[in-house]
Amino acid sequence: MKVVVAHNRYREAIPSGENVIVDTEIAQLRAVGVEVLPFQRSSDSIGELPAVQKALLPISPIYGGPAQRDLARLLTDERPDLLHLHNPYPLLSPWVIKTAHAHGVPVIQTVHNYRQVCSSGLYFRDGHNCQDCRGKLVGWPAVKHRCYRGSAAQSALMATTLAVHRPTWKSVERYVALTDRIAAHLRDYGIPDERIVVKPNAYPDPGEPSPPGEGFLFGGRLSPEKGLELLLDAWQRHPDGSLGPLLIAGDGELRPLAEKAAAERSDITYAGILDRSRMVEARRAAAVVLAVPTWNDVLPTVILEAMADGRPVLGTAVGGLPYLIGAEAGWLVPPEPAALAAALPVARDEAAGLGKIARSRYLSEFHPDVLTARLLDIYREVTAGT
């Protein structure tokens, strides 16, 4: 089977789990014999574009002319069986779906966010969940609130793009929803059930877990929607040292908050940005991994990493987290300080008994062997229907 994998990479200077996920999936497909033709553009390349292409950048989310010409050439030369689309913005544009269909190539898309409707893709703004654009022909609230890159002009362009390409999105042969929450979002958008398949991302197996460590790990982007403020509010309701250690890793606009908490309490350490190997060490040194977003997070990779390493997860019951953690591989609480504060000592006391359950859930639900086979089944179903 020959598959074009299309993806607009986020800026590499900005930590992006999505880039890693796409790279990992390509490697997994190649390992089982799929001929993968990457068709990728990087937002890092924008500064190097010729002047004419830079002048046309504002319309790239709608059309992306250079990408369409390059893709048409690739499809003509290689005659792939299908195109697997991930993120099309800003340089690819959803128009790649039209280009693929014009060449008789079916399309599936893995849906990583809510951008069929929401200009930011998050359903989150100004510190709270927001669905003001849901059900609207054009998402003018996104323009009013500058939801895309903090710019009214760019938000207007994205809102227009989403309106223009509503029929385009509805022509996709199959959607891969990472969780049941994304599947519900797609149904609400008008996609019929028979064109939606729930398949989460896989995470490479790190091998047999080490014995449980001590305390808690919070690792990720330090931004409001990831729940650092919620966590620190809950943590500070307990005496210093009573819960064991808390390690915070990552960077972002709330870094001063993490630094302040670490300066004020002996049981909190702020480690800054950790590379992949140091993050593995930090996870294995902990007993519990924390994933406490306040927005409807889709599929936090930190949860897959934790379960693969045999670490249970204490998470908030939002977005895709209930689907990921399940009933036994951790604990789920409402995104409220009191609820999280009550769960912290429970997680501390029960962590050792849940590690094997977390690892077992990873092996049965999120291991590459399981999910690559499921993705191949999706490919076969789609190509058999063309």
Side-chain angles (χ1 to χ4, degrees):
M1 182 173 291
K2 188 183 292 188
V3 178
V4 173
V5 174
H7 176 54
N8 192 119
R9 301 179 72 87
Y10 293 104
R11 296 185 186 276
E12 298 295 350
I14 302 172
S16 171
E18 192 171 308
N19 290 346
V20 174
I21 287 164
V22 174
D23 292 343
T24 301
E25 189 167 271
I26 288 174
Q28 291 162 351
L29 288 169
R30 285 174 169 165
V32 296
V34 177
E35 183 177 352
V36 178
L37 305 172
F39 184 75
Q40 302 193 35
R41 296 293 182 271
S42 173
S43 295
D44 284 329
S45 69
I46 290 174
E48 302 170 3
L49 294 176
V52 173
Q53 288 190 33
K54 282 185 179 178
L56 295 174
L57 274 176
I59 66 168
S60 290
I62 297 177
Y63 177 60
Q68 307 318 314
R69 291 189 289 273
D70 292 345
L71 178 59
R73 189 178 306 114
L74 177 66
L75 297 175
T76 299
D77 293 345
E78 297 291 343
R79 299 182 178 276
D81 296 291
L82 60 83
L83 183 142
H84 186 166
L85 176 62
H86 289 269
N87 170 45
Y89 300 113
L91 298 176
L92 294 185
S93 160
W95 206 284
V96 296
I97 299 165
K98 293 175 176 287
T99 300
H101 286 163
H103 286 76
V105 177
V107 177
I108 75 169
Q109 193 211 7
T110 295
V111 184
H112 296 268
N113 54 43
Y114 304 100
R115 192 164 274 154
Q116 280 80 12
V117 175
C118 175
S119 290
S120 74
L122 301 179
Y123 276 154
F124 187 92
R125 67 168 177 83
D126 299 332
H128 66 274
N129 290 302
C130 169
Q131 294 191 7
D132 287 356
C133 293
R134 181 168 168 258
K136 291 183 169 57
L137 184 62
V138 179
W140 292 118
V143 182
K144 175 183 176 182
H145 297 291
R146 303 171 182 263
C147 291
Y148 188 64
R149 298 183 176 178
S151 163
Q154 292 192 58
S155 298
L157 174 65
M158 183 55 70
T160 301
T161 300
L162 298 183
V164 167
H165 281 298
R166 188 171 287 108
T168 308
W169 285 122
K170 292 186 176 180
S171 72
V172 171
E173 277 80 4
R174 192 77 84 250
Y175 279 102
V176 178
L178 296 182
T179 69
D180 54 358
R181 180 75 185 218
I182 288 291
H185 155 73
L186 291 168
R187 285 193 292 270
D188 186 64
Y189 184 67
I191 306 300
D193 273 341
E194 61 268 22
R195 286 201 273 140
I196 302 170
V197 178
V198 177
K199 185 204 77 68
N201 296 322
Y203 181 76
D205 191 346
E208 283 301 310
S210 60
E214 181 185 9
F216 297 80
L217 171 66
F218 177 92
R221 190 170 64 252
L222 304 186
S223 53
E225 73 276 7
K226 289 296 185 179
L228 179 62
E229 292 170 293
L230 168 66
L231 170 61
L232 292 177
D233 187 337
W235 192 270
Q236 288 162 359
R237 298 180 184 216
H238 296 275
D240 195 333
S242 63
L243 294 171
L246 167 63
L247 178 67
I248 300 171
D251 201 1
E253 61 191 280
L254 297 184
R255 176 173 181 160
L257 188 64
E259 293 173 332
K260 180 175 182 290
E264 292 176 348
R265 289 186 59 129
S266 65
D267 57 357
I268 298 178
T269 300
Y270 173 59
I273 298 176
L274 299 180
D275 62 23
R276 187 170 294 275
S277 62
R278 292 172 64 204
M279 197 66 193
V280 170
E281 292 175 3
R283 187 164 55 248
R284 291 179 176 175
V288 178
V289 171
L290 295 159
V292 291
T294 56
W295 74 291
N296 287 316
D297 207 342
V298 177
L299 194 151
T301 305
V302 64
I303 296 178
L304 303 184
E305 294 169 338
M307 291 193 296
D309 265 329
R311 299 299 185 265
V313 179
L314 172 54
T316 43
V318 297
L321 274 71
Y323 173 88
L324 295 175
I325 298 171
E328 298 180 327
W331 311 264
L332 288 160
V333 298
E336 301 164 358
L340 182 56
L344 286 167
V346 174
R348 175 201 60 201
D349 295 341
E350 297 180 354
L354 269 64
K356 289 184 178 179
I357 296 174
R359 171 71 178 173
S360 177
R361 180 164 177 77
Y362 160 75
L363 290 172
S364 64
E365 300 292 334
F366 306 109
H367 193 280
D369 290 351
V370 174
L371 292 176
T372 303
R374 193 179 304 174
L375 183 58
L376 287 175
D377 287 342
I378 297 168
Y379 285 176
R380 294 186 189 104
E381 289 171 7
V382 171
T383 54
T386 58

